[in-house]
Amino acid sequence: MLRRPATETQITHGGRLWLYVLGGLTLLFLILPSLLVIPLSFSDSRYLAFPPPGWSTRWYEAYFDAIEWRDATAMSFTAATLTMVISTALGTLAAYGMHTSQSRFTQLAYATFMLPLIIPGILIAIGIFLLYAHLGLNNTLTGIVLAHSVMAIPLVVILVASSFKSYDMNQEMVARSLGASRPWAFLTVTLPQIKTSVISAALLAFITSLDEVVISLFIAGGDKATLTRRMFNALRDEIDPTIAAISTLLILISIFLLGLTQLLQRSPNQQPTPGNEPSPRQSAKA
Amino acid sequence: MTTTSLADEVGRRDHAAWKAPNEAAYRRRERSETTVLAALAVPGLLLIGAIALTPIAWLFWLSFRSGSDFTFEHYERLLHPTYTLTLQTTFELSFLVTAICIALGYPLAYLISQVRPRLAGFLLLLVLFPVWTSLLVRCYAWLVLLQRRGVVNSWLQDMGLIDAPLRLMHNFTGTTIGMVHIMLPFMVLPLYATMRSINRDYMRAAANLGASPVKAFWGVFVPLSFPGLFAGIIIVFVLCLGFYVTPALLGGGRVMMWSMQIERNVTYHSDWGAASALGVVLLAMTLAILWGVGRLIGFDRIVGGR
């Protein structure tokens, strides 16, 4: 096995052993720390030793019993759901408009949509804090949802726009030549074929809002504190094992959502993602 | 033959006669459609403009104001050693994290690009998992692992490698480890996307022409992977420059980043002049790097990541 050539240039698997070891260790570095939190959350000790000296669910009880953690969780999920709806709708609409319109402004519009990703988060956070202080939107659900939508829309635009690149717009043209209006053609012909990307974008928008920290630190205080804000403040003070319980729940949500996007991509009527398996002609050109 | 040409002629005239107004109407229709479609982007743009961009313009204005006067004093204050030291820390940390991300990310991306597609898909999923995991959860994990009586210290002691527990967090080391963990996927993903599209025939050709595997790798594969590498470096470096959460938690107040100075000036001192001047400098550095590299290798490659 180890003597077998691994590549076109005749390196053996044995000669590449270091690569497998280094790659494996790097992957462990990436995933192990988060996963280690799961057993720790079932520890019965305040001190987070590994392996835990005994097992209990006391930190989960502490989490579910504390009204401020429950409120913060409800707040975060409400904000994430609303953000998902708003940013998916606006982002998909914008991606469709920019793809189909021949206007000269689409390039500029696309660049503008990318700005929230390029501008450092802390700057956006204090800017929104300043704006909301004058509008009275600090510590309101509306304010949080609008701010999170601004961060999620660029991601939706990227994902949906990239799915349009591999979509043949002539299909919509055919539908329209057969009498469908443009909105109807979009809803019945185009949307069903890009739905994988739209749903993935929606999930990404959801998790973006759920995990958003910096903006929430400034604008989501008082009884509108989000889960991340409460967690951040708790982490700054002490390493409370209750957070291990919350973290475990958040990890499970992440795994669930990530798994969902993977399942969607494998569904039978999948869209080929752009650049996925380049055709021979493409790679010859590269 | 004459009849057909006559019919042709009539047809052509006929066509020409109502072609002009028809074409004009068609153009009008097309123009209005282009406008309507472009307008679909407006709601999103308005939201981003109102919530994110207007306040930044406002901060820019504030950075030149003192009372009702125009001033450079907020920028002059940035020359104070506190801030120059912060700038130095910020750049040191960003360079170090980017360098470690290259050292760990390049081999990993290379490995994923070489294995069978099914396995590559699985490995890629492992790289994506941290991206989907909450930032705070990952910082918490490192706080638990790196603390004085934490997992890393107790394992190192059990193995007899160290006598006394090491100081691994609330300092530069802890911040670096945490930041590398956050940034590594952003290095691996663009690198992998580029490596996957490299034609294997080039490596075969290099071998045929007598290059040793090592020489073929450095002479052919590595240069072809540069677009992905540059994209990864830019993404990681720019994200590091403005990063707040991980240094704030794992640095324990001992690692002062540019972003933390901004936060301090707003929360503790309500000094909007200083905060906005700091913010403007941060934004200018970010845009300058993006612009410079964009000129060098083409902006599409950074944004597209492939």
Side-chain angles (χ1 to χ4, degrees):
Chain A
M1 173 71 192
L2 289 179
R3 298 249 176 95
R4 251 181 33 210
T7 61
E8 297 79 6
T9 45
Q10 302 299 305
I11 284 191
T12 58
H13 282 286
R16 278 191 155 182
L17 210 52
W18 66 271
L19 180 68
Y20 300 139
V21 172
L22 183 63
L25 287 176
T26 310
L27 279 172
L28 282 182
F29 167 76
L30 276 176
I31 55 168
L32 214 52
S34 312
L35 293 183
L36 221 56
V37 172
I38 297 175
L40 284 174
S41 71
F42 290 101
S43 168
D44 67 350
S45 150
R46 270 207 78 78
Y47 304 102
L48 294 158
F50 193 86
W55 305 96
S56 82
T57 53
R58 62 186 273 208
W59 306 115
Y60 288 88
E61 285 155 25
Y63 167 57
F64 287 113
D65 286 346
I67 189 137
E68 65 267 24
W69 281 121
R70 279 214 310 265
D71 282 353
T73 311
M75 188 68 208
S76 274
F77 275 85
T78 314
T81 310
L82 291 174
T83 301
M84 177 176 79
V85 172
I86 290 178
S87 57
T88 310
L90 294 187
T92 307
L93 214 59
Y96 177 73
M98 290 189 295
H99 183 72
T100 47
S101 169
Q102 265 118 48
S103 168
R104 281 163 295 149
F105 298 110
T106 53
Q107 286 272 328
L108 187 65
Y110 193 82
T112 312
F113 272 113
M114 295 307 113
L115 283 177
L117 295 182
I118 294 171
I119 301 170
I122 186 79
L123 196 57
I124 294 184
I126 63 166
I128 294 178
F129 180 57
L130 181 68
L131 178 75
Y132 282 8
H134 286 261
L135 298 178
L137 278 174
N138 274 327
N139 309 337
T140 62
L141 180 61
T142 317
I144 298 168
V145 170
L146 289 180
H148 285 180
S149 298
V150 165
M151 300 311 291
I153 286 174
L155 302 172
V156 175
V157 168
I158 291 179
L159 276 180
V160 178
S162 79
S163 80
F164 276 129
K165 277 185 200 150
S166 60
Y167 173 72
D168 185 0
M169 266 302 155
N170 287 328
Q171 296 180 55
E172 205 170 89
M173 208 101 97
V174 171
R176 290 173 64 209
S177 77
L178 292 171
S181 65
R182 200 181 254 276
W184 186 246
F186 172 73
L187 285 176
T188 56
V189 178
T190 305
L191 193 57
Q193 296 189 62
I194 59 162
K195 70 169 190 288
T196 310
S197 298
V198 175
I199 297 172
S200 297
L203 296 177
L204 191 61
F206 183 85
I207 200 97
T208 301
S209 168
L210 195 68
D211 290 346
E212 203 289 321
V213 187
V214 185
I215 298 176
S216 300
L217 277 181
F218 284 90
I219 66 159
D223 62 337
K224 295 292 189 291
T226 58
L227 193 58
T228 46
R229 184 191 161 110
R230 277 212 191 285
M231 281 175 76
F232 185 89
N233 288 335
L235 284 181
R236 243 202 310 217
D237 302 336
E238 50 162 349
I239 304 178
D240 178 2
T242 313
I243 297 179
I246 302 172
S247 295
T248 303
L249 298 176
L250 285 177
I251 290 171
L252 293 181
I253 291 173
S254 303
I255 293 178
F256 174 71
L257 291 180
L258 180 60
L260 214 57
T261 60
Q262 295 301 309
L263 279 181
L264 281 170
Q265 277 171 27
R266 270 172 213 161
S267 63
N269 54 351
Q270 71 167 48
Q271 265 306 116
T273 39
N276 213 1
E277 308 314 329
S279 70
R281 197 184 289 169
Q282 267 177 329
S283 47
K285 249 191 286 178
Chain B
M1 195 175 148
T2 40
T3 42
T4 45
S5 72
L6 192 66
D8 270 2
E9 182 61 25
V10 171
R12 208 174 293 141
R13 259 189 225 164
D14 220 27
H15 184 66
W18 61 272
K19 187 187 169 193
N22 190 30
E23 199 150 88
Y26 179 74
R27 286 257 168 74
R28 261 203 309 281
R29 181 82 188 271
E30 193 179 67
R31 259 202 306 277
S32 83
E33 186 144 76
T34 294
T35 316
V36 169
L37 287 170
L40 291 177
V42 169
L45 286 175
L46 276 181
L47 193 64
I48 287 176
I51 306 283
L53 304 183
T54 314
I56 285 170
W58 192 354
L59 289 172
F60 186 74
W61 189 73
L62 279 180
S63 73
F64 292 106
R65 306 295 291 187
S66 166
S68 55
D69 301 326
F70 179 87
T71 176
F72 281 115
E73 66 170 276
H74 303 304
Y75 290 95
E76 277 160 19
R77 247 193 300 164
L78 297 187
L79 298 173
H80 190 271
T82 334
Y83 291 119
T84 49
L85 213 62
T86 305
L87 191 65
Q88 197 190 334
T89 313
T90 308
F91 269 90
E92 272 172 15
L93 189 64
S94 303
F95 274 121
L96 185 62
V97 169
T98 311
I100 298 176
C101 281
I102 297 171
L104 293 179
Y106 200 95
L108 181 56
Y110 181 65
L111 176 64
I112 299 178
S113 76
Q114 298 289 306
V115 297
R116 277 167 284 119
R118 198 174 266 275
L119 183 60
F122 174 70
L123 296 181
L124 215 54
L125 207 59
L126 296 184
V127 176
L128 274 175
F129 167 66
V131 181
W132 281 72
T133 311
S134 166
L135 188 62
L136 284 179
V137 170
R138 292 192 280 160
C139 286
Y140 176 70
W142 283 112
L143 282 172
V144 171
L145 287 173
L146 297 178
Q147 62 183 322
R148 213 177 144 71
R149 296 152 166 279
V151 176
V152 173
N153 263 326
S154 60
W155 281 356
L156 286 178
Q157 272 179 307
D158 289 348
M159 284 191 285
L161 290 172
I162 52 170
D163 297 326
L166 297 172
R167 249 205 105 81
L168 291 171
M169 63 173 221
H170 289 168
N171 59 13
F172 200 79
T173 317
T175 313
T176 310
I177 296 175
M179 295 263 286
V180 169
H181 189 236
I182 308 285
M183 298 299 167
L184 192 51
F186 297 114
M187 180 65 79
V188 174
L189 295 174
L191 261 178
Y192 168 69
T194 306
M195 287 177 178
R196 189 180 54 182
S197 65
I198 293 175
N199 192 340
R200 301 288 185 84
D201 290 344
Y202 292 147
M203 293 298 278
R204 243 177 248 136
N208 270 347
L209 293 170
S212 69
V214 175
K215 195 166 182 192
F217 175 77
W218 287 106
V220 176
F221 191 87
V222 172
L224 284 172
S225 70
F226 276 161
L229 184 64
F230 284 139
I233 290 174
I234 292 308
I235 295 169
V236 169
F237 192 78
V238 162
L239 282 178
C240 280
L241 274 188
F243 214 59
Y244 175 76
V245 177
T246 306
L249 289 175
L250 286 163
R254 284 189 191 82
V255 181
M256 198 36 93
M257 293 282 281
W258 201 250
S259 56
M260 293 160 73
Q261 292 283 15
I262 298 179
E263 187 262 350
R264 281 195 171 201
N265 271 302
V266 171
T267 8
Y268 296 132
H269 312 303
S270 292
D271 188 344
W272 283 97
S276 37
L278 283 159
V280 169
V281 171
L282 178 60
L283 185 59
M285 291 191 301
T286 308
L287 293 180
I289 292 170
L290 285 174
W291 181 80
V293 177
R295 288 292 300 270
L296 214 63
I297 61 168
F299 200 68
D300 292 350
R301 283 179 165 171
I302 307 174
V303 175
R306 1 184 131 246

